[in-house]
Amino acid sequence: MKLELNCVGKQYSQDFWALKDFSLQLKPGVLGLLGENGAGKSTLMRIISTITSATTGTILWNGVDIFQNPDAIRENLGYLPQDFGVYPHLNAVEFLEYMAAIKGVHRKEAKTRIEELLHVVNLYDVRKRAIGGYSGGMRQRIGIAQALLNDPKILIVDEPTVGLDPVERVRFRNLLSDLSGDRIVIFSTHIVSDVEATAESIAILSKGHLLHHSSPDELLETVQGKVWEWNVSSSEVQELRKKWMISSTVRSGGGVLLRIVSDESPSNDAQLVSPGMEDAYLHCISNHGKVRQ
């Protein structure tokens, strides 16, 4: 099972490419797409889902060109878009029965599948409650259930944890990890901690370009020896922001503890510390701050 993206690009105007020269090879597991809003993540996911056409490049699903034969990937695809709409007056069972009919899942098969999925997403006990009364996290989980109705080999989820409370975010991240197994899961977010907790590999996008693709450990390795902590006075912080990339600030007593990502020590008083995923992400983005257009 392999998904190959070769020099994929999407041009919306003469001067604007939402995605450019994007190449990646994916096998089963969770890929975290990490990037700021507008980085090109949603565009990429819509192209893979054959909702949007690409301007350049090819995508092969097990060797088949999906632009020439979109049904090859559609019948193996589950998709949860960022703006997922539901029918608030339907309960979970009714909604999933409706979605199964749209996807062409046979009624008898759908009944068994729906019951299984409601257990998987932990909504079985509230299956008869109208979806309009669900919390944001519950709605996202019913969204995952509909995406899994056809038992897809590729599951695409776009910004699924936005707006969820911390408990629901953790529950949803764990669900994505559990669902990977023998399928490709592509999980898009701008929240670094979600990718850190879920993904087996990470792709960082900025301004439509792929900046980095590796395992989380390999990404962290790129910033070893480049993260510093430095206690300064409150009055110095604003001026130091102009000179250094500060990933966090913590007020401590009368001063501020800065966490700085830099190839060189910002001061003789600064201490080298172990990097985190957010440090690595900021370092990657800063090194490619002037991406060619």
Side-chain angles (χ1 to χ4, degrees):
M1 186 192 310
K2 185 189 288 187
L3 184 66
E4 301 174 76
L5 295 85
N6 302 305
C7 299
V8 176
K10 179 63 179 179
Q11 184 178 23
Y12 282 106
S13 67
Q14 184 175 354
D15 299 323
F16 178 64
W17 287 79
L19 199 68
K20 195 166 187 180
D21 297 328
F22 190 98
S23 297
L24 202 61
Q25 292 190 7
L26 299 178
K27 293 182 178 181
V30 180
L31 169 73
L33 284 181
L34 188 59
E36 72 276 15
N37 290 329
K41 305 186 302 295
S42 294
T43 297
L44 175 63
M45 293 178 136
R46 287 195 296 268
I47 290 172
I48 296 173
S49 303
T50 70
I51 294 169
T52 297
S53 61
T55 306
T56 61
T58 60
I59 297 179
L60 304 180
W61 167 242
N62 292 331
V64 178
D65 188 330
I66 71 166
F67 300 150
Q68 300 294 326
N69 184 9
D71 288 341
I73 197 169
R74 286 173 182 168
E75 61 191 20
N76 290 285
L77 183 71
Y79 181 42
L80 177 60
Q82 184 174 355
D83 299 316
F84 172 65
V86 297
Y87 295 88
H89 299 298
L90 297 181
N91 63 40
V93 174
E94 292 168 338
F95 174 70
L96 291 176
E97 286 175 342
Y98 171 70
M99 294 303 297
I102 290 176
K103 291 172 182 278
V105 181
H106 191 274
R107 180 173 292 186
K108 185 176 180 180
E109 180 186 346
K111 183 177 180 180
T112 302
R113 184 73 177 149
I114 287 168
E115 185 163 331
E116 291 174 352
L117 288 172
L118 287 171
H119 282 291
V120 168
V121 300
N122 196 28
L123 291 174
Y124 188 80
D125 291 341
V126 293
R127 66 192 183 281
K128 296 298 184 180
R129 185 191 303 178
I131 297 176
Y134 280 12
S135 68
M138 293 165 74
R139 290 191 186 204
Q140 289 294 67
R141 280 184 275 143
I142 201 68
I144 280 289
Q146 66 80 26
L148 292 170
L149 279 167
N150 59 333
D151 195 18
K153 294 301 181 184
I154 304 174
L155 177 62
I156 295 178
V157 232
D158 193 1
E159 297 280 3
T161 62
V162 171
L164 301 189
D165 64 47
V167 173
E168 285 284 11
R169 279 179 60 201
V170 170
R171 183 180 290 135
F172 198 90
R173 290 184 329 208
N174 291 340
L175 175 60
L176 286 184
S177 295
D178 292 342
L179 290 173
S180 55
D182 61 348
R183 61 169 56 94
I184 295 170
V185 178
I186 304 174
F187 165 43
S188 161
T189 185
H190 63 276
I191 303 171
V192 176
S193 59
D194 285 346
V195 167
E196 185 174 14
T198 310
E200 296 163 64
S201 65
I202 297 173
I204 298 177
L205 283 76
S206 181
K207 301 177 183 177
H209 293 263
L210 176 64
L211 304 187
H212 183 91
H213 177 227
S214 73
S215 70
D217 288 343
E218 289 169 332
L219 178 58
L220 282 173
E221 189 62 32
T222 65
V223 79
Q224 286 288 347
K226 300 176 182 179
V227 183
W228 313 83
E229 286 189 347
W230 181 19
N231 275 297
V232 301
S233 64
S234 299
S235 60
E236 295 178 272
V237 174
Q238 290 305 316
E239 193 61 32
L240 290 172
R241 284 189 187 278
K242 299 175 183 177
K243 185 175 181 180
W244 304 103
M245 174 168 288
I246 299 174
S247 62
S248 71
T249 59
V250 179
R251 298 203 171 272
S252 175
V256 179
L257 180 64
L258 302 182
R259 189 177 180 92
I260 295 172
V261 182
S262 169
D263 290 346
E264 61 185 55
S265 174
S267 166
N268 290 333
D269 297 327
Q271 300 294 316
L272 194 63
V273 295
S274 297
M277 194 61 68
E278 189 159 334
D279 300 316
Y281 170 68
L282 290 173
H283 183 260
C284 180
I285 292 294
S286 68
N287 278 356
H288 297 79
K290 295 181 179 179
V291 177
R292 68 187 186 280
Q293 296 297 312

